[in-house]
Structures are given as C-alpha cells and as structure tokens.
C-alpha cells in the first residue's frame, strides 16, 4: 500500500502515521523528520534547508523531491510506504507521480486529515517532542507517562522551534496558499479519502484503518 497523508501542520499526521504504518507494516517517510535530522547533522542539505525551516517556509522543491526520490527506492519501501509531509506542492506531487509511473507502482490512496484552524492552533502550541528519538507528545491529548519526559528514552521533552505562535501562523498560511491545490490535484485523480480529524485520536485511527482495509 502506497499512501500519502495530507493535512495542515498540527492536524495529527505524525500520530496517525505511526499507527497506520504499524498496522500495515510499511515505513513512515516524513520529510520534516528527514530534514530535521539533516539540520541536526549539519549536512549540505541540512544547511540549505535550515534557512527556510527557521522561517516556517517550504524548502525548495528540487531539494525535497531529490530526498524523497532516493528514499522510496530503498528496499524497505518496495512493498509500500506512507509519505507524511510530502508532497506539499503540485510540482512535488507531479514529480512523485512521474517516478511512481516509471516504477509502475502508483499511489494507492491520499488520506486528507481535515480540521478547523482553532483546533490546529490548540494542538500545535501543546505539542512536544523527544530530541533523542523524535517521538511526539501533546500536553493535553497525548501525555507521556511522566510529565515532560520521553516514555521511550527518558530524555526531557522539548517544544519544536517552529511551533512558536508566529511561526505556526506562517506555516498555516503557507499550507493554505500552496498545499490546498494538492487537494484538487488528487480529487481529480479520484484518490482522495477525507477524514474528520477533529475527533479523538483512537476514533480517527479506527476510521482510517477500516476504510483502508476495504481498499487493500
Ligand atoms: P513538518 O514536520 O512536516 O511540519 O515540516 C517541517 C518543515 O520542514 C516545514 O515547515 C518545511 O520548512 C520543511 N518541509 C517538510 N516537508 C517539506 C516539503 N515536502 N516541501 C518543502 N518543505 C518541507
């Protein structure tokens, strides 16, 4: 199963991605994660991407497309994958389709997580993550067992630098401006599965898995 998870920042893509990937045994490919790792390791891509990420803007298509192209050619992606945070522009979607057409492995379904702006701001400002393993938490919806500490590696949780209110608003504006066109792109391909993401995490997961199980 080759899946794309679409939705504004903070809608719960990372949380749902983890659950879907574990259910269908496919790798979770998050461009945000790959880029943050590159920034942390000060690679050439990381140095290029950091300027844009700090401003809450999109990293240039050419950089991100290249990253994803090589990632989906890795052996663990041969029987499927879930793309989280990619594509974000029609140019990225088109480049992805071209590569997958050549491989004769088209996208199966595009899951669109849909929620109102107030809900999104509430979720983003309460979001925390582990700087060691990248696991995500939320101060209200997805608490760690011990306040402020990662369940997996015991590290102190941090707030992502781009989850500050000003950057959050910028990221939402960027999403609405650029990523919105993707919804139409995939609607035209008849691949869009829209999910109401304003519900409890477990209910959303159940809904997605039930609908995907019918398709697979
Ligand atoms: P995310 O964790 O998906 O919210 O991504 C964090 C940041 O990484 C974004 O605000 C962008 O600066 C950058 N980024 C992630 N994925 C992409 C993409 N597909 N295209 C361009 N920039 C991206």
């Amino acid at each position: 199963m080759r899946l794309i998870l679409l939705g504004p920042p903070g809608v719960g893509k990372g949380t749902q991605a983890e659950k879907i990937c574990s259910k269908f045994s496919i790798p979770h490919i998050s461009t945000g994660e790959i880029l943050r790792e590159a920034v942390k390791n000060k690679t050439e891509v990381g140095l290029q991407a950091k300027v844009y990420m700090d401003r809450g803007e999109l990293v240039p298509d050419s950089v991100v497309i290249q990253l994803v192209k090589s990632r989906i050619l890795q052996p663990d992606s041969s029987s499927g994958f879930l793309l989280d945070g990619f594509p974000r522009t029609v140019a990225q979607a088109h480049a992805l389709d071209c590569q997958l057409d050549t491989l004769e492995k088209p996208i199966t379904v595009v899951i669109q997580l849909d929620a109102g702006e107030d809900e999104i701001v509430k979720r983003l400002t309460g979001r925390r993550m582990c700087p060691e393993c990248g696991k995500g938490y939320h101060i209200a919806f997805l608490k760690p067992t011990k306040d402020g500490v990662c369940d997996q590696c015991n590290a102190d949780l941090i707030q992502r630098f781009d989850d500050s209110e000003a950057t959050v608003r910028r990221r939402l504006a960027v999403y609405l401006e650029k990523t919105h066109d993707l919804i139409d792109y995939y609607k035209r391909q008849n691949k869009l599965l829209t999910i109401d993401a304003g519900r409890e995490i477990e209910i959303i997961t159940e809904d997605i898995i039930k609908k995907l199980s019918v398709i697979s």
Side-chain angles (χ1 to χ4, degrees):
M1 190 159 352
R2 286 168 297 278
L3 305 172
I4 290 173
L5 196 53
L6 276 189
V11 78
K13 293 194 295 291
T15 308
Q16 294 301 333
E18 255 180 52
K19 293 171 188 282
I20 299 167
C21 289
S22 125
K23 168 75 186 170
F24 295 102
S25 305
I26 49 176
H28 172 198
I29 303 177
S30 153
T31 42
E33 269 302 306
I34 297 173
L35 288 168
R36 276 188 289 280
E37 192 61 25
V39 170
K40 196 165 115 189
N41 295 331
K42 297 195 167 69
T43 65
E44 199 181 315
V45 166
L47 293 176
Q48 252 179 299
K50 189 175 184 315
V51 189
Y52 299 92
M53 293 172 80
D54 282 350
R55 292 200 297 245
E57 286 170 10
L58 292 185
V59 173
D61 284 340
S62 55
V63 176
V64 189
I65 287 169
Q66 209 41 55
L67 279 181
V68 173
K69 276 191 169 176
S70 50
R71 180 63 187 84
I72 60 182
L73 287 176
Q74 285 177 23
D76 66 339
S77 302
S78 64
S79 56
F81 50 78
L82 181 145
L83 288 172
D84 163 11
F86 183 95
R88 263 180 159 91
T89 64
V90 171
Q92 291 178 13
H94 185 65
L96 176 68
D97 274 351
C98 289
Q99 186 188 14
L100 294 178
D101 280 352
T102 311
L103 298 170
E104 296 186 349
K105 288 181 166 182
I107 288 296
T108 319
V109 175
V110 179
I111 305 162
Q112 180 203 6
L113 294 181
D114 201 23
E117 195 170 324
D118 288 349
E119 181 69 22
I120 289 164
V121 171
K122 194 167 91 189
R123 287 186 191 195
L124 277 177
T125 46
R127 197 155 80 157
R128 299 291 179 269
M129 74 175 273
C130 173
E132 298 295 326
C133 68
K135 189 169 166 54
Y137 296 90
H138 194 282
I139 56 171
F141 311 121
L142 197 62
K143 296 180 182 175
T145 311
K146 191 175 159 205
D147 259 2
V149 177
C150 179
D151 290 344
Q152 282 179 182
C153 51
N154 237 19
D156 285 342
L157 301 181
I158 56 162
Q159 184 171 34
R160 261 171 54 177
F161 64 91
D162 55 354
D163 278 348
S164 70
E165 189 162 346
T167 315
V168 161
R169 293 206 180 279
R170 176 86 197 115
R171 285 164 67 206
L172 273 176
V174 167
Y175 173 80
L176 288 176
E177 180 193 320
K178 297 205 172 155
T179 321
H180 218 65
D181 293 345
L182 282 176
I183 310 291
D184 287 339
Y185 180 90
Y186 288 118
K187 246 186 209 162
R188 281 198 297 274
Q189 291 190 4
N190 226 359
K191 290 197 171 162
L192 201 67
L193 175 64
T194 302
I195 298 285
D196 172 7
R199 299 173 290 169
E200 301 253 327
I201 292 175
E202 287 74 20
I203 308 253
I204 301 169
T205 310
E206 246 176 61
D207 191 14
I208 297 175
I209 288 177
K210 199 170 86 196
K211 287 177 174 147
L212 289 180
S213 302
V214 175
I215 296 163
S216 65

